[in-house]
Amino acid sequence: MTISPARVPETTGVRRLTATLYGYAFLDDLVLLYPVYALLFADTGMSLWQISSLFALWSITGVLLEVPSGAWADAFSRRTLLWVGPLLTAAGFALWVLVPSYGAFALGFVLWGAGGALGSGALEALVYEELDRLGAADRYARVMGRSRAARLLATMASMGLAGPVLALGGYPAVGAVSVLACLLTAASATRFPEHRVPPETGDDGWATTLRTGLAEAHRDRSVRGALLLVPAVAAVWGALDEYTSLLIRDTGVADQTVPYLLLLVWGVVAAGSLLTGAAERLGTTGLAAVIAGAALALAVGALTRTPAGIALVAVAFGGFHLAEVLAEVRLQHRIDDTRRATLTSVASLGTELATVAVFGVYAVIGAQAAHSTVFAVLAVPYLLTALILLARASTAKVRP
């Protein structure tokens, strides 16, 4: 645990850091291609198999680079990775609209996956360490919750703006705005303060950092538990999000109504992010209650098969998102500064691998059952996670 002794926070420094973070987070997800890139692929003549292979390539890129990029962030400059990543993503988006073809789409996904991996782990580590330096590490949960809310607001804005921009200028206009957002993200990243000096570990610095970080997770039970909690909370609902539009359509609403109900879901998720600071005081038992309550809301909301039930699904997603941020906060409190980005990336890798597994489970169950049934079944892992947390909390209370 690396929280510094209590001291008066440097208000000006905290404000600069958080303002930069919120701007970076908003711009990073203000990508108008998000809601229409599948349409772009289809309109270019890609088959369903080709589109699915592109998504798989995107995920594989993230899996391969997730942990090494975290080790790079610990061995080198985290701020540098945060501005290089969006530039790679911008190049990928530009390829999509300038030379639309399977090869360009594939390379674009590789660049996007690489850009996302560079920022994963580096951002959380930089923010935590700078807050700690300023005597405000206790604000980390609230700050990261607000940054998640900024991202979600940007996603919602992208959903609202993509249609009008597409109507005005087609895919080139949507792509141009997306590239501009990436460039602005990179520019905002250069304003992050970074007072940390990377360790001098020789030519194999990042590899050494990776090995020692994984050894710490193996050795320290509390770190290992915190690492496992992140994918346990984040993976299932992250995968279910991809199928939410199908769940909504099965309630009987018109197709044009689906985006509005999706906005409702993400609005509740964004609101949940703002509760992170207060929710951090809940402790392990409170976190278990949040997860269990969200799981029940997910199952009941999905099984009602009505638009009103989607409101319960929204509450569930909001609870899971809140629990995800709290799990990430617990991890940050338990790891050492020199391996912070590495272990944060290990947790992200676990989430990505678990998410892929959930996709497979969904495909198997969904072949025989309705979307509502699959959603309800996938609420069960959350109930198990809540029970494990309650058991660990009870053990901690009786331990001398």
Side-chain angles (χ1 to χ4, degrees), residues 73-168:
D74 280 334
F76 307 111
S77 168
R78 292 166 181 170
R79 180 172 57 195
T80 298
L81 296 185
L82 290 176
W83 65 258
V84 170
L87 294 182
L88 295 178
T89 304
F93 290 160
L95 280 173
W96 285 3
V97 295
L98 291 177
V99 284
S101 62
Y102 183 84
F105 296 149
L107 180 56
F109 267 125
V110 170
L111 291 170
W112 191 2
L118 289 181
S120 177
L123 179 64
E124 294 87 348
L126 184 149
V127 171
Y128 189 93
E129 289 171 3
E130 289 300 319
L131 285 173
D132 190 22
R133 184 185 66 84
L134 296 167
D138 60 329
R139 302 186 187 182
Y140 178 78
R142 182 168 65 252
V143 167
M144 292 309 292
R146 290 176 177 175
S147 74
R148 290 295 189 92
R151 288 185 178 278
L152 293 169
L153 289 174
T155 299
M156 295 167 65
S158 298
M159 291 179 180
L161 293 173
V165 173
L166 184 65
L168 288 173

Side-chain angles (χ1 to χ4, degrees), residues 284-342:
T284 300
T285 301
L287 177 59
V290 170
I291 295 173
L296 292 174
L298 177 65
V300 174
L303 290 174
T304 59
R305 300 185 184 184
T306 65
I310 300 303
L312 281 178
V313 174
V315 170
F317 278 15
F320 294 142
H321 182 67
L322 174 61
E324 179 183 345
V325 178
L326 292 176
E328 292 172 352
V329 170
R330 289 160 68 99
L331 175 62
Q332 294 300 324
H333 285 331
R334 285 165 171 76
I335 54 183
D336 181 77
D337 284 347
T338 58
R339 290 173 285 276
R340 186 173 301 283
T342 299

Side-chain angles (χ1 to χ4, degrees), residues 156-208:
M156 295 167 65
S158 298
M159 291 179 180
L161 293 173
V165 173
L166 184 65
L168 288 173
Y171 293 118
V174 173
V177 175
S178 300
V179 169
L180 177 60
C182 291
L183 296 178
L184 291 175
T185 303
S188 68
T190 63
R191 299 193 69 255
F192 275 117
E194 186 178 27
H195 294 82
R196 165 185 172 276
V197 178
E200 297 182 4
T201 54
D203 294 335
D204 63 339
W206 77 267
T208 300

Side-chain angles (χ1 to χ4, degrees), residues 4-374:
S4 301
R7 59 187 188 271
V8 178
E10 298 179 23
T11 304
T12 301
V14 171
R15 287 178 177 172
R16 177 194 171 189
L17 173 65
T18 54
T20 302
L21 172 64
Y22 300 153
Y24 178 91
F26 184 86
L27 291 169
D28 196 33
D29 272 22
L30 188 65
V31 178
L32 271 62
L33 278 168
Y34 282 166
V36 300
Y37 61 66
L39 301 179
L40 169 62
F41 302 156
D43 290 347
T44 306
M46 298 297 103
S47 67
L48 180 60
W49 180 89
Q50 288 176 310
I51 293 174
S52 298
S53 68
L54 292 172
F55 292 154
L57 180 62
W58 187 20
S59 297
I60 291 171
T61 301
V63 168
L64 293 177
L65 295 180
E66 186 67 56
V67 175
S69 67
W72 296 333
D74 280 334
F76 307 111
S77 168
R78 292 166 181 170
R79 180 172 57 195
T80 298
L81 296 185
L82 290 176
W83 65 258
V84 170
L87 294 182
L88 295 178
T89 304
F93 290 160
L95 280 173
W96 285 3
V97 295
L98 291 177
V99 284
S101 62
Y102 183 84
F105 296 149
L107 180 56
F109 267 125
V110 170
L111 291 170
W112 191 2
L118 289 181
S120 177
L123 179 64
E124 294 87 348
L126 184 149
V127 171
Y128 189 93
E129 289 171 3
E130 289 300 319
L131 285 173
D132 190 22
R133 184 185 66 84
L134 296 167
D138 60 329
R139 302 186 187 182
Y140 178 78
R142 182 168 65 252
V143 167
M144 292 309 292
R146 290 176 177 175
S147 74
R148 290 295 189 92
R151 288 185 178 278
L152 293 169
L153 289 174
T155 299
M156 295 167 65
S158 298
M159 291 179 180
L161 293 173
V165 173
L166 184 65
L168 288 173
Y171 293 118
V174 173
V177 175
S178 300
V179 169
L180 177 60
C182 291
L183 296 178
L184 291 175
T185 303
S188 68
T190 63
R191 299 193 69 255
F192 275 117
E194 186 178 27
H195 294 82
R196 165 185 172 276
V197 178
E200 297 182 4
T201 54
D203 294 335
D204 63 339
W206 77 267
T208 300
T209 301
L210 176 57
R211 288 195 299 269
T212 55
L214 294 176
E216 178 184 346
H218 178 73
R219 179 177 61 253
D220 192 324
R221 182 179 179 183
S222 66
V223 172
R224 187 167 63 251
L227 277 173
L228 292 173
L229 181 60
V230 174
V233 174
V236 175
W237 89 271
L240 289 179
D241 167 51
E242 302 297 333
Y243 302 96
T244 305
S245 58
L246 300 176
L247 176 71
I248 293 173
R249 187 169 64 180
D250 279 359
T251 64
V253 300
D255 285 352
Q256 57 265 34
T257 305
V258 172
Y260 296 108
L261 289 176
L262 284 174
L263 283 175
L264 167 65
V265 172
W266 285 104
V268 174
V269 173
S273 296
L274 299 177
L275 300 175
T276 304
E280 190 180 15
R281 297 192 291 269
L282 293 174
T284 300
T285 301
L287 177 59
V290 170
I291 295 173
L296 292 174
L298 177 65
V300 174
L303 290 174
T304 59
R305 300 185 184 184
T306 65
I310 300 303
L312 281 178
V313 174
V315 170
F317 278 15
F320 294 142
H321 182 67
L322 174 61
E324 179 183 345
V325 178
L326 292 176
E328 292 172 352
V329 170
R330 289 160 68 99
L331 175 62
Q332 294 300 324
H333 285 331
R334 285 165 171 76
I335 54 183
D336 181 77
D337 284 347
T338 58
R339 290 173 285 276
R340 186 173 301 283
T342 299
L343 291 177
T344 302
S345 289
V346 169
S348 297
L349 173 62
T351 299
E352 291 182 8
L353 291 173
T355 300
V356 172
V358 175
F359 285 144
V361 171
Y362 198 106
V364 172
I365 301 176
Q368 305 295 329
H371 293 290
S372 57
T373 302
V374 185

